[in-house]
Amino acid sequence: MEFSDNKPIYRQIVDYAYNLIIEGAWVPGERIPSVRELSADMGVNTRTVLKAMDDLQANGIIEPRRGMGFLLAADAAGKVTHARRREFFDVTIPAICAEMTRLGISADEVAERLVQAMAADKEILK
């Protein structure tokens, strides 16, 4: 996994886990890779992965099971979707608005481009 400088590594690991959950690669009720497995796969310190796991556990995404490690919570996908939506509205949109202001892009221009992009996505999915 390649890490960027714009976000703490543990947070990028949480995002990676979120992607696996949304894609269905991690199945609710089943064991997820251990801290050591993830650490080895990603080439990062086990403490960094543990911090990411602590975050996932604190948000009810994973649950510890004695002798088994961590299991994915039954409602993990819903919680991840909710968290991602909240981040989109609280972080992404304000950043986009700031960039639009800097570049002199109007909301009408963006709305027009969004409609075009969404129409293109629908064509691709057919």
Side-chain angles (χ1 to χ4, degrees):
M1 182 171 172
E2 302 251 347
F3 296 103
S4 65
D5 294 335
N6 65 344
K7 194 184 272 192
I9 291 175
Y10 89 91
R11 188 63 217 160
Q12 292 177 62
I13 295 169
V14 170
D15 290 342
Y16 170 76
Y18 280 5
N19 288 338
L20 292 174
I21 293 165
I22 289 171
E23 294 166 2
W26 286 3
V27 179
E30 292 192 10
R31 180 187 169 278
I32 64 167
S34 71
V35 171
R36 285 188 183 149
E37 290 169 326
L38 288 172
S39 176
D41 289 346
M42 296 178 173
V44 297
N45 189 298
T46 55
R47 289 182 184 164
T48 304
V49 175
L50 189 55
K51 187 170 182 177
M53 296 298 226
D54 287 344
D55 186 276
L56 292 169
Q57 186 178 353
N59 289 304
I61 307 297
I62 60 174
E63 303 166 346
R65 286 290 190 271
R66 188 178 187 105
M68 291 185 67
F70 290 103
L71 304 182
L72 190 63
D75 58 347
K79 288 180 178 181
V80 167
T81 300
H82 178 75
R84 281 276 173 90
R85 288 176 58 91
R86 189 176 59 244
E87 181 180 4
F88 179 78
F89 287 112
D90 294 347
V91 178
T92 305
I93 287 182
I96 290 170
C97 290
E99 186 69 4
M100 287 170 57
T101 300
R102 282 190 291 275
L103 298 174
I105 298 171
S106 72
D108 289 338
E109 254 183 292
V110 171
E112 183 180 322
R113 294 289 180 103
L114 281 172
V115 168
Q116 291 171 0
M118 292 175 82
D121 280 351
K122 286 181 182 176
E123 286 298 315
I124 291 170
L125 294 175
K126 285 184 180 180

